[in-house]
Amino acid sequence: MRRQRGRAILAQQDAKQERRRDWSDQYWWSHDGVRLHARVYAGPEGSEGAPPVLCMPGLARNARDFEALAPHVAQYRKAIVIEFRGRGESAYAKDPMTYVPLTYVQDVVAMLDELAIDRFAAIGTSLGGLVAMLMAATLPGRLVGAVLNDVGPELQTAGLERIRDYIGAGGSQPTWMHAARAFAELNGAVYPGYEIHDWLRLTKRTHRLTPEGRIVTDYDKQIAAPLRVPNGGDAGVDLWPAYRALGGIPLLVLRGALSDILARSAGEKMVAELPGSRLVEVPGVGHAPTMDEPEALSAIDAWVAELPQA
């Protein structure tokens, strides 16, 4: 009975989180005419001069991926949660071959220019972490700190193939419970400790309700198009130079202990390559930690404390 009551309290907290709107919307246009969206969480009074934290989600994710972490970071400074083209409230691209990291970099830079943001920190999950590395390489001196969530310059083939197999596939579900159970069946190995309440929360972060009353993933299925191109995507690309561009700034590497994307050996190699960086492993989860786990939050708090105040 006590366990059920605890779950009911968590459900009530989720409902309150959904009703509470603690961000403002930011819209801007890409160079090729795609209307893009971000959530902006204002920092505390007096933090206006501090470089903001850009939060960038993974391949099939959106701004709701940071609905727990962004308000937490905003206790210290402004947090801006990017929705890459084709996800959430950002428009779908006419050309599916623009769903690639270099285009995402251009999209984010367009927002930075519009908001006159010169220096910033970044928290990137998977794809978002790749974008952060590329921004470090192409915008020298502007990135003042980075968190790479379960991603790096060396990625495991098995995990990449698993993602390619499901991205862009799947239909719709009639209810949130049906969708949560289907999502759990697909991702059970990633979050083996999750119960149905956890899956419902994650499903509502990653899916949306259509006008027809069906539950579908909240992204353009065509984001998978570049991944289907022979010898495209990550193949043949040396990401170590981009990773090394993160040297000299506060750097945190998070790794899911069960990850099939970032091997432990790769994470250890990353921190050995850049002295002063930290590797923190989040127990009991795969690719990728949601970053509201206690171990992840504690590590991110320590990382934020190292960021420049101006």
Side-chain angles (χ1 to χ4, degrees):
M1 179 66 70
R2 186 177 300 166
R3 183 178 182 83
Q4 291 177 348
R5 183 173 181 271
R7 287 291 172 185
I9 291 172
L10 286 173
Q12 292 170 6
Q13 291 173 344
D14 277 357
K16 290 179 181 178
Q17 175 68 27
E18 290 178 2
R19 289 194 297 267
R20 188 179 72 245
R21 181 184 175 91
D22 46 8
W23 72 89
S24 60
D25 293 305
Q26 175 68 38
Y27 293 95
W28 75 101
W29 293 93
S30 71
H31 71 285
D32 58 344
V34 178
R35 190 172 188 249
L36 302 166
H37 173 258
R39 290 182 178 182
V40 178
Y41 295 77
E45 186 176 351
S47 68
E48 293 81 6
V53 176
L54 300 188
C55 300
M56 297 185 287
L59 180 64
R61 302 299 183 91
N62 55 67
R64 297 190 301 280
D65 227 26
F66 289 88
E67 66 184 10
L69 182 61
H72 183 82
V73 171
Q75 295 177 97
Y76 310 111
R77 60 183 65 210
K78 178 186 289 187
I80 303 174
V81 186
I82 305 295
E83 288 194 312
F84 294 129
R85 57 175 59 203
R87 287 85 163 173
E89 292 188 45
S90 286
Y92 291 6
K94 293 181 179 179
D95 179 3
M97 298 311 293
T98 63
Y99 289 130
V100 293
L102 287 176
T103 304
Y104 302 140
V105 170
Q106 293 174 346
D107 291 346
V108 176
V109 169
M111 184 207 70
L112 294 173
D113 290 346
E114 183 161 318
L115 296 181
I117 295 173
D118 182 44
R119 300 165 73 237
F120 58 93
I123 300 175
T125 295
S126 195
L127 170 62
L130 296 179
V131 172
M133 288 193 291
L134 292 172
M135 293 180 78
T138 56
L139 304 172
R142 296 184 67 179
L143 189 63
V144 301
V147 176
L148 302 182
N149 184 24
D150 214 61
V151 70
E154 290 184 8
L155 305 176
Q156 296 188 89
T157 302
L160 293 174
E161 289 301 324
R162 176 180 62 83
I163 291 173
R164 287 192 182 99
D165 285 343
Y166 76 76
I167 287 295
S172 63
Q173 298 292 336
T175 69
W176 283 109
M177 185 62 73
H178 283 86
R181 295 195 183 281
F183 202 48
E185 184 175 350
L186 182 64
N187 295 282
V190 177
Y191 306 108
Y194 273 21
E195 298 182 17
I196 190 60
H197 167 79
D198 304 300
W199 288 112
L200 277 168
R201 182 175 64 247
L202 189 58
T203 301
K204 289 189 176 183
R205 290 180 180 179
T206 56
H207 292 63
R208 63 180 175 86
L209 179 67
T210 70
E212 296 74 30
R214 304 287 293 187
I215 311 299
V216 298
T217 50
D218 196 9
Y219 64 83
D220 181 2
K221 299 295 191 293
Q222 289 301 310
I223 66 171
L227 302 178
R228 312 289 188 223
V229 177
N231 299 319
D234 57 284
V237 177
D238 181 6
L239 291 172
W240 279 103
Y243 174 74
R244 293 188 187 102
L246 296 170
I249 63 175
L251 174 61
L252 170 64
V253 179
L254 292 176
R255 177 183 180 269
L258 308 178
S259 177
D260 61 354
I261 290 291
L262 182 65
R264 179 179 295 170
S265 59
E268 292 171 346
K269 183 178 177 181
M270 289 166 67
V271 296
E273 185 74 20
L274 295 181
S277 59
R278 292 182 62 210
L279 172 64
V280 173
E281 199 165 77
V282 181
V285 300
H287 181 78
T290 58
M291 294 186 290
D292 48 16
E293 302 92 351
E295 298 82 3
L297 281 175
S298 177
I300 290 170
D301 282 345
W303 169 79
V304 170
E306 297 177 13
L307 297 177
Q309 295 299 313

